[in-house]
Amino acid sequence: MLLDFRIKLQNFIRKNKNKIFIAIVVLTVIIGVNIFLGKKRESAPPTTSYKPHTPIISGKEVKSKNTKESIESKISEYMNYCKEKNYEAAYNCLTDDCKECKFKNSIENFKKYIDYIFDKNKIYSIQNYSNKDNVYIYQVIISEDIMATGKNNDKSDEYYDEKIVITKDGNDYRLSVAGFISKKAMLNVSEDEYMKINVEEKITYYDKIIYKLKIRNKTSYDIVLERDNEEDCIGISLSGDVREQVIEQYTNTEKYIDSGQTKTIELTFSKYFDESKKPETIIFNKVRILEKYTGVDSLWEEELKHAIKKYSTKISVE
C-alpha cells in the first residue's frame, strides 16, 4: 500500500511538476505580501479624519547638530508650556506676525486654540518636515497619552498635525504655529475706468495663501464681484494652473462695492508652501457694473439685464 502510494505520488509530481512549481511561487508571493503588509500596518501612524498634504522634504536639512538641538529644544519648550497651560509663556514664544495674523494679537484667542489641542493628557513627537527658501518647517504630531490616561477607545488613535515654522531672532528662535509662515506687504495696483484694485498684503500659511485687497469703486454705479454662494467668480493663476478661491463653510462670500465706496476684502486660495507653482495673477471672472444692486435674489436677473458693463479683469501678484 505504502509503495503504491509513493509511486502514484511520484507519477503525479512528474506529470504536474510545472503546475506545482507555479503554485509554490504564487503561494510564496502571497505569504511574502501578507507579511509585508502586516509589518506596515504595525508601523503605520494613528489614523485620523484629517488628510494632510505629504510633500517630499525639499531643500537642505539643518546640518549643524547644535542648531538642530536648539530648534528642537525651543519647540519642546513651547509644547511643554502648552501642556502645562502656561499660556503667557507659550504665547511669548511666537513671532509678532503670527500673533497678529493667527490670533489677532489676543492671548484669549490663543488660549482657546491651545485648549482645543490640549484638551486631555497629550504626548508629542517632533520631525523636520520641509525646508524651502531657508524656511524650516517642523511637523509636530500631538496625540492622546494612553499610558497616562489608562484609556483606549475609538478616539485614542486620533492625532493633531501641527506645522511649526522656525525663525531666528537674535540668539533665540521664535515660532509660528498653525501653519502660519509669513506676512508680506505688497504694492501691486490695477486700475481701469470702473475701479482701482490695490493688493496690499500677502499672508502665507503652509497650505494656503491669503491676499488683502483694497478696491475703490470709481463710478456712480454698484460693482458686484461675487454674490453669495456664486461659483467661478474669483480665482488665481499658479504657473498657469487656475484655482478657485477657498470658500469657508457658512461664510457670506458676497463681494460688492457701492458707488464711490472703497472696501478691503480678503481672498484665500489653496497652495502648499513647498509646491513649485508660483502665484501669478488674481482673476476676477464676473465683474458686473450695475445701475443698482439690492442683493435680493428675486430681483437679481432683472438687475443683471440692466448692467452697464460685464467683463473680467486680473491683477498681478508676482
Side-chain angles (χ1 to χ4, degrees):
M1 293 287 291
L2 182 59
L3 181 59
D4 289 342
F5 176 75
R6 288 179 180 175
I7 291 171
K8 289 179 181 178
L9 181 61
Q10 288 172 358
N11 290 336
F12 176 80
I13 293 172
R14 191 180 300 113
K15 290 179 182 179
N16 299 279
K17 60 182 179 181
N18 290 335
K19 293 180 180 179
I20 293 172
F21 175 75
I22 293 172
I24 291 172
V25 171
V26 171
L27 184 61
T28 302
V29 170
I30 291 173
I31 293 172
V33 169
N34 285 337
I35 292 172
F36 171 77
L37 292 177
K39 289 183 177 179
K40 190 170 184 179
R41 278 194 294 268
E42 289 173 5
S43 61
T47 57
T48 176
S49 57
Y50 174 68
K51 297 180 180 178
H53 173 66
T54 306
I56 298 173
I57 292 181
S58 56
K60 298 178 180 178
E61 295 186 17
V62 181
K63 290 186 175 180
S64 168
K65 183 179 179 180
N66 290 338
T67 300
K68 185 176 181 180
E69 288 178 351
S70 296
I71 289 174
E72 293 187 0
S73 175
K74 188 67 179 182
I75 296 174
S76 293
E77 179 184 48
Y78 166 76
M79 297 303 296
N80 289 332
Y81 285 148
C82 294
K83 285 180 63 177
E84 297 162 2
K85 301 299 179 74
N86 189 341
Y87 300 109
E88 187 172 350
Y91 189 68
N92 289 334
C93 291
L94 306 183
T95 65
D96 290 341
D97 284 348
C98 182
K99 291 176 184 176
E100 177 188 346
C101 296
K102 178 60 186 176
F103 303 109
K104 309 300 181 186
N105 287 322
S106 168
I107 194 170
E108 293 304 317
N109 290 338
F110 178 72
K111 286 180 180 179
K112 293 175 184 177
Y113 175 74
I114 295 305
D115 288 342
Y116 172 77
I117 299 173
F118 291 91
D119 57 335
K120 300 175 182 177
N121 287 311
K122 299 289 183 178
I123 56 175
Y124 62 87
S125 62
I126 303 169
Q127 179 185 349
N128 185 10
Y129 189 73
S130 181
N131 168 26
K132 180 184 177 185
D133 300 333
N134 293 319
V135 175
Y136 289 94
I137 302 172
Y138 279 73
Q139 181 184 42
V140 179
I141 300 296
I142 305 163
S143 57
E144 185 176 347
D145 187 352
I146 299 174
M147 297 298 292
T149 61
K151 297 179 180 179
N152 190 358
N153 52 53
D154 57 350
K155 292 188 177 181
S156 296
D157 60 350
E158 293 182 356
Y159 66 91
Y160 185 84
D161 182 352
E162 173 75 289
K163 299 295 188 301
I164 293 181
V165 178
I166 309 301
T167 305
K168 191 74 182 289
D169 183 13
N171 294 322
D172 196 8
Y173 292 96
R174 293 283 180 183
L175 312 180
S176 294
V177 298
F180 174 82
I181 290 177
S182 64
K183 180 183 74 170
K184 176 185 176 183
M186 301 184 70
L187 296 172
N188 297 46
V189 180
S190 176
E191 186 172 9
D192 58 28
E193 60 182 299
Y194 302 104
M195 59 182 178
K196 181 177 181 180
I197 305 174
N198 292 66
V199 183
E200 298 190 322
E201 193 171 80
K202 174 185 177 183
I203 301 172
T204 301
Y205 284 81
Y206 176 72
D207 59 353
K208 64 185 176 182
I209 45 177
I210 300 172
Y211 289 95
K212 287 188 178 181
L213 282 66
K214 182 178 285 185
I215 303 176
R216 179 165 68 89
N217 184 344
K218 298 167 60 179
T219 75
S220 56
Y221 306 108
D222 295 335
I223 297 179
V224 179
L225 303 175
E226 180 181 36
R227 300 189 75 230
D228 195 23
N229 297 319
E230 191 176 17
E231 297 181 348
D232 302 321
C233 289
I234 303 172
I236 191 169
S237 174
L238 299 168
S239 299
D241 175 22
V242 178
R243 299 178 188 175
E244 285 191 59
Q245 67 168 323
V246 175
I247 304 300
E248 300 292 343
Q249 197 172 17
Y250 309 119
T251 300
N252 187 314
T253 60
E254 195 167 57
K255 297 176 180 64
Y256 71 95
I257 305 99
D258 293 328
S259 60
Q261 189 182 42
T262 298
K263 275 189 177 180
T264 298
I265 65 173
E266 289 189 2
L267 302 176
T268 302
F269 303 97
S270 292
K271 182 193 177 302
Y272 289 100
F273 179 70
D274 41 23
E275 275 188 85
S276 60
K277 295 180 183 292
K278 295 183 178 180
E280 295 171 334
T281 57
I282 292 175
I283 306 163
F284 295 92
N285 293 313
K286 299 178 182 179
V287 181
R288 280 71 53 99
I289 315 297
L290 304 177
E291 288 184 351
K292 185 172 182 59
Y293 176 62
T294 61
V296 178
D297 289 342
S298 59
L299 300 177
W300 170 244
E301 293 299 328
E302 189 65 26
E303 292 170 351
L304 200 57
K305 287 180 183 178
H306 296 88
I308 304 299
K309 177 79 172 179
K310 292 185 284 186
Y311 70 105
S312 64
T313 188
K314 59 186 178 180
I315 181 169
S316 172
V317 290
E318 291 185 286

